[in-house]
Amino acid sequence: MVTLNPDLRRERERCTFDPTELTHFWDGGLEKTSQRHELENFFLSDPLLQDKIPAKYKSHKEIYEEAIMKGCRVIQKVQQLHESGKGGMNVFSQILGGMLGSAILKDGNPITLHYVMFIPTIMGQGTVEQQSYWISRAWSCNIIGTYAQTELGHGTFIRGLETTATYDPETKEFVLNSPSLSSYKWWPGGLGQTANYAIVVAQLHTKGECRGIHPFIVQLRDENTHEPLPGINIGEIGTKLGMNATNNGFLGFDNVRIPRDNMLMKNSQVLEDGTYVKAPSDKLTYGTMMFVRVVLVRDVANYLAKAVTIAIRYSAVRRQSQIKANEPEAQIIDYVTQQYKLFPNLAACFAFRMSADWIWEMYNNVTSELDQGELERLPELHALSCCLKAVATSDGATGIEQLRLSCGGHGYMDASNLPATYGLVTATCTYEGENTVLLLQTARYLVKAWKQAVGGQALPPTVAYLVDLSRGLKQRPWKNTLTCIIQAHQAVAAGKIRLATENMDRRIRSGMSPEDAWNQTSIELVHCAEAHCRVFLVMRFIENIKELTNVSNQLREVLMQLCELYALYWVLQRLGDFLRFSCLSNEDIPALQARFEEMLAAIRPNAVGIVDGFDIRDEILASALGAYDGNVYQRLFDEAMKSPLNQERVNKSFHKYLKPFLKSNL
């Protein structure tokens, strides 16, 4: 019989809503909750997928070898589910990027890119014949692939990649070469020792001309011996801040020949004689990158939900200092400064999840339109996926570090699982597009949209607010309403876009080249892209809550409080911008701050109930601080006793070094 911590038990007793209802809301319905529970039981009950020794006490080589064992076991179990009619891509998404995957493979998975990049790229950029051949082999795991784009010398600037693929019409082959050390592929997950195939992005040369970057399927290792093939220089790049089980690798080519059919040719083609057939639109290659960025937003919501569950439960259990001298030590969650660290991050989980769901639906719609040759909505999706990935991952990483700090010294311990969670999320700020570069891509779209709005043209839905604001309409007086806050966010974004556009045009008029003017204005451009993303996040959160019809009044009230807290938080975080561009005045700020503090107080009684509603199993949290029973100190002690140094009373270093030193009469 597990004994619940009494403070945590009291928190649950005072909750004003049913956390189970929130669980079903979070999952998307009772049926999906049941499916998730069944899936978690199926995987987490497997002894081969359970850790006996914490990873921090293992060598880098042991961590990789165990990750491969677990990765193969997971895929075998997924195949079992598939054969029973219960599997599919939804299972892979939970295993590879979701809560469940991070419980089984806490420091990353070397096979993830096979499913997240290798297969989707073939689906998106291969011909029907290429899909038929390669996807059947990849899906059945006859081969394991990765996606090799980034190089040692180039990351986000894809046009600058140096790897070459030169077509030889005599043999009907492409010859791949790495002309310099900086041209070596660097970073792909699973590339080190795991994958035997890769999609390699290289500069296509045919008939003496460079035709830009194109994707090629390249065999890296022998399918039986796993030895690298001739001309392939391959290995692992070493340890990192986190994700040390992902087996990130390097790859160089020395006259490696592949058949002509190994170029993915859905969009562009090279004919047998070397004639190049250009794609109808260069934008058709965005698909895979956008897919991963869209998925990442939901992943960040999940990781943040884990971290905030750990921090809120710990804050209810931990007692420290006194608020009043004649009272017992207070739960640290009762300190308003602690609530300020916890609750905005709790609200952000919902903001990210709702935005992720919306953009996922948009992605699916636009992808189906692309198949029909319709490209009209692609720029809007690209701009939105860029800024949303950038802002969600940045906020997520900052939030998890803030939550770690809110747990004091115990949050610094690996046993809290907050350092590892931070390591996973902060990596997302860089991969699939470095955040600053992504914000600048969104800014390019926003500048164009602003000029269209000024010219009286209609705009797509996510930037439609610029049309009214480009006309300089007078804003109404400030009110602490959600409608007013949305309009204020829009005014800030529009004001920043207008200024950035005007400043760039002014620089061009003064004789500066457009490229230099863009660079000189880039700080403002990044800020206007972030402000635009905040409009989307706040608006989606508010509109989603307003549209809810199938939840109880009690849960609706809690969700509305989180929604208002999130909207108010970002006004107070960017007061200068709102005073400058919106109708907010200095006289309005005290009421704004007071309302924000009211929301902190309103959320406080339900904070534990809300994170209970996320329904994250202890095995998935993997945290001594965040377990459901709240027995923090016993769990911390039990984790400490797993250290190899605690398996012997006296370490051999005492007799070898310390004792002679102590007896040396210094």
Side-chain angles (χ1 to χ4, degrees):
M1 180 82 178
V2 176
T3 304
L4 286 180
N5 177 283
D7 284 327
L8 214 46
R9 188 181 65 246
R10 278 192 294 273
E11 293 292 332
R12 290 178 175 130
E13 288 169 352
R14 69 197 288 202
C15 187
T16 64
F17 71 99
D18 180 4
T20 306
E21 186 188 2
L22 175 55
T23 302
H24 300 330
F25 170 78
W26 186 255
D27 286 333
L30 171 61
E31 187 179 348
K32 289 188 177 178
T33 299
S34 300
Q35 290 170 352
R36 176 174 59 80
H37 285 166
E38 188 178 346
L39 205 60
E40 288 171 355
N41 288 330
F42 180 66
F43 284 97
L44 296 177
S45 61
D46 189 329
L48 291 176
L49 299 179
Q50 295 169 4
D51 289 331
K52 304 292 186 293
I53 302 169
K56 286 291 181 180
Y57 300 129
K58 298 172 187 172
S59 70
H60 184 57
K61 186 167 175 283
E62 288 170 329
I63 287 171
Y64 168 69
E65 289 165 354
E66 184 173 86
I68 286 295
M69 180 275 290
K70 285 185 174 182
C72 292
R73 181 63 176 162
V74 162
I75 291 171
Q76 288 168 354
K77 292 179 80 71
V78 170
Q79 296 289 9
Q80 290 174 30
L81 286 173
H82 189 64
E83 288 164 13
S84 67
K86 297 178 181 176
M89 279 306 289
N90 62 322
V91 175
F92 275 115
S93 68
Q94 291 191 54
I95 290 294
L96 298 174
M99 297 279 200
L100 187 52
S102 66
I104 297 167
L105 291 150
K106 296 181 177 65
D107 210 8
N109 183 342
I111 305 176
T112 297
L113 257 66
H114 177 69
Y115 292 101
V116 174
M117 293 292 284
F118 186 74
I119 291 175
T121 302
I122 296 170
M123 290 172 67
Q125 301 195 46
T127 62
V128 173
E129 294 77 16
Q130 289 173 323
Q131 291 178 29
S132 175
Y133 177 73
W134 290 107
I135 291 176
S136 61
R137 298 197 73 203
W139 189 253
S140 59
C141 291
N142 294 137
I143 60 174
I144 294 292
T146 186
Y147 184 86
Q149 177 171 290
T150 298
E151 296 175 355
L152 195 52
H154 283 93
T156 309
F157 183 60
I158 302 171
R159 280 182 290 145
L161 297 178
E162 299 176 73
T163 302
T164 59
T166 305
Y167 184 65
D168 181 352
E170 291 187 13
T171 61
K172 298 180 178 59
E173 293 173 316
F174 291 101
V175 185
L176 277 81
N177 275 294
S178 303
S180 64
L181 182 61
S182 60
S183 71
Y184 269 49
K185 297 298 178 183
W186 192 271
W187 278 115
L191 178 61
Q193 280 78 23
T194 310
N196 53 9
Y197 281 80
I199 287 170
V200 175
V201 180
Q203 299 284 1
L204 167 64
H205 291 259
T206 181
K207 291 196 169 184
E209 285 189 58
C210 179
R211 297 294 186 170
I213 57 159
H214 291 74
F216 302 84
I217 298 178
V218 183
Q219 185 175 355
L220 308 176
R221 295 175 178 271
D222 185 277
E223 289 187 25
N224 294 312
T225 66
H226 209 56
E227 287 287 337
L229 296 183
I232 299 286
N233 187 8
I234 195 168
E236 200 227 20
I237 66 172
T239 57
K240 310 167 292 290
L241 173 66
M243 303 187 77
N244 283 302
T246 51
N247 196 220
N248 300 93
F250 64 79
L251 172 64
F253 301 99
D254 183 10
N255 289 317
V256 174
R257 288 180 172 268
I258 61 171
R260 184 182 71 91
D261 290 343
N262 280 29
M263 174 181 161
L264 294 178
M265 296 201 200
K266 179 181 179 181
N267 301 317
S268 303
Q269 290 99 37
V270 172
L271 305 182
E272 286 193 2
D273 66 353
T275 301
Y276 178 70
V277 182
K278 194 176 187 297
S281 170
D282 56 1
K283 293 172 182 169
L284 291 169
T285 57
Y286 289 170
T288 308
M289 296 288 280
M290 281 196 298
F291 165 74
V292 180
R293 287 168 191 161
V294 168
V295 170
L296 274 177
V297 181
R298 193 179 181 94
D299 289 350
V300 167
N302 286 336
Y303 285 123
L304 190 59
K306 279 177 69 171
V308 83
T309 298
I310 293 166
I312 283 178
R313 285 180 179 166
Y314 176 73
S315 297
V317 169
R318 179 71 166 178
R319 288 180 173 269
Q320 192 83 8
S321 304
Q322 298 162 295
I323 294 176
K324 294 179 181 175
N326 59 343
E327 291 182 355
E329 286 190 90
Q331 294 167 275
I332 60 173
I333 198 171
D334 284 332
Y335 292 99
V336 176
T337 49
Q338 185 75 350
Q339 295 168 15
Y340 183 64
K341 296 173 189 175
L342 300 174
F343 298 166
N345 286 307
L346 177 60
C349 296
F350 292 88
F352 295 156
R353 170 62 73 88
M354 290 170 185
S355 294
D357 289 347
W358 192 91
I359 196 173
W360 176 248
E361 189 176 336
M362 182 185 182
Y363 170 81
N364 286 324
N365 291 336
V366 172
T367 303
S368 62
E369 289 168 7
L370 285 178
D371 291 338
Q372 307 301 317
E374 299 171 22
L375 306 176
E376 289 80 8
R377 297 177 68 201
L378 189 61
E380 182 190 20
L381 174 62
H382 179 248
L384 188 59
S385 67
C386 283
C387 70
L388 196 56
K389 181 269 181 186
V391 171
T393 56
S394 176
D395 284 4
T398 302
I400 290 168
E401 174 64 355
Q402 192 174 35
L403 292 164
R404 183 190 70 76
L405 291 168
S406 78
C407 294
H410 294 333
Y412 191 66
M413 296 190 70
D414 283 318
S416 74
N417 199 25
L418 291 169
T421 305
Y422 176 74
L424 288 170
V425 173
T426 194
T428 64
C429 294
T430 305
Y431 65 70
E432 302 315 318
E434 192 276 333
N435 281 357
T436 301
V437 176
L438 290 186
L439 289 170
L440 286 170
Q441 290 197 26
T442 301
R444 197 173 293 279
Y445 174 79
L446 294 174
V447 168
K448 185 177 178 182
W450 177 260
K451 290 181 176 180
Q452 289 172 332
V454 171
Q457 296 180 43
L459 293 177
T462 57
V463 286
Y465 67 91
L466 295 178
V467 174
D468 287 340
L469 290 162
S470 68
R471 297 170 187 158
L473 298 178
K474 186 173 175 58
Q475 297 177 47
R476 296 171 183 171
W478 181 270
K479 293 179 181 177
N480 277 359
T481 64
L482 291 177
T483 300
C484 179
I485 290 172
I486 287 176
Q487 291 169 347
H489 275 279
Q490 291 173 339
V492 168
K496 288 186 164 225
I497 295 165
R498 174 182 60 79
L499 273 184
T501 305
E502 289 174 354
N503 287 336
M504 188 164 59
D505 289 345
R506 175 179 50 77
R507 288 183 166 112
I508 293 170
R509 285 196 303 273
S510 70
M512 194 178 285
S513 71
E515 296 81 6
D516 285 336
W518 178 269
N519 184 37
Q520 289 298 317
T521 318
S522 58
I523 295 173
E524 291 176 75
L525 291 164
V526 165
H527 289 167
C528 73
E530 184 199 343
H532 169 67
C533 190
R534 301 259 173 236
V535 171
F536 179 78
L537 284 163
V538 169
M539 194 160 67
R540 280 266 55 82
F541 198 169
I542 292 171
E543 290 184 357
N544 267 49
I545 301 303
K546 284 182 175 178
E547 291 167 5
L548 284 179
T549 56
N550 56 347
V551 299
S552 67
N553 290 334
Q554 292 90 338
L555 178 56
R556 181 197 298 278
E557 185 179 6
V558 169
L559 292 172
M560 186 56 79
Q561 289 164 352
L562 289 164
C563 178
E564 188 171 352
L565 180 84
Y566 185 78
L568 290 166
Y569 176 80
W570 282 107
V571 175
L572 290 167
Q573 284 291 300
R574 301 282 193 270
L575 270 180
D577 289 340
F578 283 85
L579 288 169
R580 187 181 183 191
F581 296 111
S582 80
C583 60
L584 183 72
S585 68
N586 279 322
E587 290 73 27
D588 300 314
I589 295 174
L592 197 69
Q593 180 70 29
R595 183 61 179 167
F596 176 75
E597 289 164 9
E598 283 176 30
M599 289 301 100
L600 292 177
I603 292 165
R604 163 67 188 92
N606 287 315
V608 169
I610 296 167
V611 297
D612 282 356
F614 292 146
D615 192 34
I616 307 172
R617 287 172 58 138
D618 284 352
E619 299 97 317
I620 294 174
L621 283 177
S623 173
L625 307 190
Y628 187 84
D629 62 19
N631 293 325
V632 169
Y633 303 128
Q634 184 63 54
R635 288 177 179 274
L636 279 171
F637 190 82
D638 291 345
E639 286 298 310
M641 292 309 294
K642 292 177 182 177
S643 168
L645 290 174
N646 286 328
Q647 308 313 309
E648 53 188 3
R649 292 171 66 87
V650 178
N651 185 265
K652 64 182 181 182
S653 64
F654 172 76
H655 296 289
K656 195 171 182 180
Y657 304 113
L658 191 55
K659 186 176 179 180
F661 175 75
L662 293 170
K663 301 295 184 184
S664 61
N665 295 318
L666 286 176

